[in-house]
């Protein structure tokens, strides 16, 4: 490097270091493996970053918590990101589940390309299974609820159970076409005062042939994830019973010597 260019580079570096010292701000650090998903959530210890979706033309960021053999994919609502599900995800981990929370393309840190929401959910299920989950639950709220319903018939092996809270019948795909194909246990939830969402939950429930299906209404206009805000609400307790009966938490596999 020529003397003048070297001097200029050293001057720039000195200026950066001086600014860092004056402001007390740390120098930029590399992001963790993945896309640094959930950076604004206040993530708990033990979070593992994951990045996936290249096979469907997407670049999706997510986090994995827990090590149980029953995995739960948590799909968020419109105009939100994975942080929305974090509190309930931690509850599931405490019960022995492994969970994957991710940002849909166009939200949080993710870009979806031409992939559909349902394709992104299916890709998340594959990641969770590759991480060690031997059975998968697909759980989504509002937009995410529609996505898990549409994704469920396309996932191989099929999900053990599906949970859709306040799911519209149509959002980035048509859940009315998917519901008749759902043969696994399905839990539908909505607020009893949610208007069209209350009606659509019943419509999807009626179209679902699964014998172990359940429809539970929460109070008032609570929507999606907020239906679970109270850990002792009838809907939250009903969901816990549903998971225990149809997709119980299985402990981590015992290492073989």
């Amino acid at each position: 490097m020529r003397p003048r260019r070297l001097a200029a580079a050293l001057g720039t570096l000195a200026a950066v270091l001086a600014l860092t010292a004056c402001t007390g701000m740390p120098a930029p650090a590399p992001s963790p493996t993945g896309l640094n998903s959930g950076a604004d959530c206040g993530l708990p210890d033990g979070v593992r970053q994951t990045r996936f979706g290249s096979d469907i033309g997407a670049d999706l960021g997510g986090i994995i918590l827990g090590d149980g053999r029953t995995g739960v994919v948590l799909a968020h609502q419109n105009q939100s990101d994975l942080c929305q599900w974090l509190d309930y995800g931690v509850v599931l981990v405490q019960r022995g589940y492994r969970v994957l929370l991710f940002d849909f393309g166009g939200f949080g840190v993710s870009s979806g390309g031409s992939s559909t929401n349902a394709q992104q959910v299916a890709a998340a299920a594959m990641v969770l299974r590759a991480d060690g989950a031997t059975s998968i639950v697909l759980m989504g709220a509002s937009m995410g609820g529609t996505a898990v319903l549409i994704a469920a018939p396309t996932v191989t092996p099929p999900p053990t159970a599906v949970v859709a809270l306040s799911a519209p019948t149509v959002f980035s795909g048509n859940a009315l076409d998917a519901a008749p194909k759902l043969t696994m246990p399905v839990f539908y939830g909505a607020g009893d005062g949610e208007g069209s969402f209350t009606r659509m939950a019943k419509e999807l429930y009626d179209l679902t042939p699964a014998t172990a299906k359940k429809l539970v209404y929460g109070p008032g206009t609570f929507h999606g994830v907020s239906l679970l805000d109270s850990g002792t609400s009838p809907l939250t307790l009903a969901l816990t019973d549903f998971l225990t009966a149809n997709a119980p938490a299985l402990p981590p596999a015992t290492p073989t010597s």
Side-chain angles (χ1 to χ4, degrees):
M1 183 180 288
R2 293 180 179 178
R4 286 186 179 179
R5 291 182 180 176
L6 177 60
L10 291 174
T12 301
L13 177 59
V16 171
L17 294 174
L19 179 61
T20 299
C22 291
T23 60
M25 296 295 290
S31 296
T33 302
L35 294 174
N36 202 14
S37 307
D40 299 327
C41 295
L43 297 175
D45 294 337
V47 165
R48 290 175 285 128
Q49 292 281 334
T50 185
R51 185 176 187 175
F52 61 98
S54 60
D55 56 325
I56 56 171
D59 189 13
L60 306 174
I63 59 173
I64 299 175
L65 284 165
D67 57 3
R69 283 181 291 140
T70 306
V72 184
V73 173
L74 295 171
H76 66 77
Q77 299 173 197
N78 193 20
Q79 302 302 317
S80 190
D81 58 25
L82 66 81
C83 295
Q84 182 180 55
W85 271 116
L86 184 60
D87 287 347
Y88 190 71
V90 170
V91 169
L92 290 175
V93 170
Q94 291 171 343
R95 293 176 182 161
Y97 292 91
R98 182 190 309 246
V99 300
L100 187 155
L101 303 81
F102 74 100
D103 295 330
F104 277 112
F107 300 92
V109 299
S110 297
S111 56
S114 60
S115 63
T116 66
N117 288 351
Q119 287 174 322
Q120 294 172 38
V121 167
M126 291 176 62
V127 170
L128 198 51
R129 192 175 289 277
D131 190 66
T134 56
S135 64
I136 302 292
V137 178
L138 303 181
M139 186 181 303
S142 197
M143 172 185 80
T146 308
V148 301
L149 293 171
I150 298 172
T154 73
V155 174
T156 304
T160 303
V162 178
V163 178
L165 304 176
S166 303
T169 52
V170 178
F171 198 117
S172 183
N174 193 335
L176 295 172
D177 293 335
K181 303 173 186 176
L182 300 175
T183 57
M184 70 289 295
V186 185
F187 182 101
Y188 292 101
D192 59 15
E194 278 200 271
S196 61
F197 291 99
T198 309
R199 173 184 55 78
M200 288 186 286
K202 180 62 164 61
E203 187 175 5
L204 290 166
Y205 172 83
D206 288 341
L207 286 171
T208 301
T211 54
K213 62 179 181 178
K214 196 168 186 67
L215 172 62
V216 180
Y217 292 120
T221 59
F222 287 104
H223 179 75
V225 177
S226 64
L227 290 164
L228 304 175
D229 281 351
S230 171
T232 58
S233 72
L235 188 146
T236 306
L237 295 175
L239 177 55
T240 299
D241 291 343
F242 173 85
L243 292 175
T244 301
N246 297 289
L250 301 175
T254 303
T256 56
S257 56

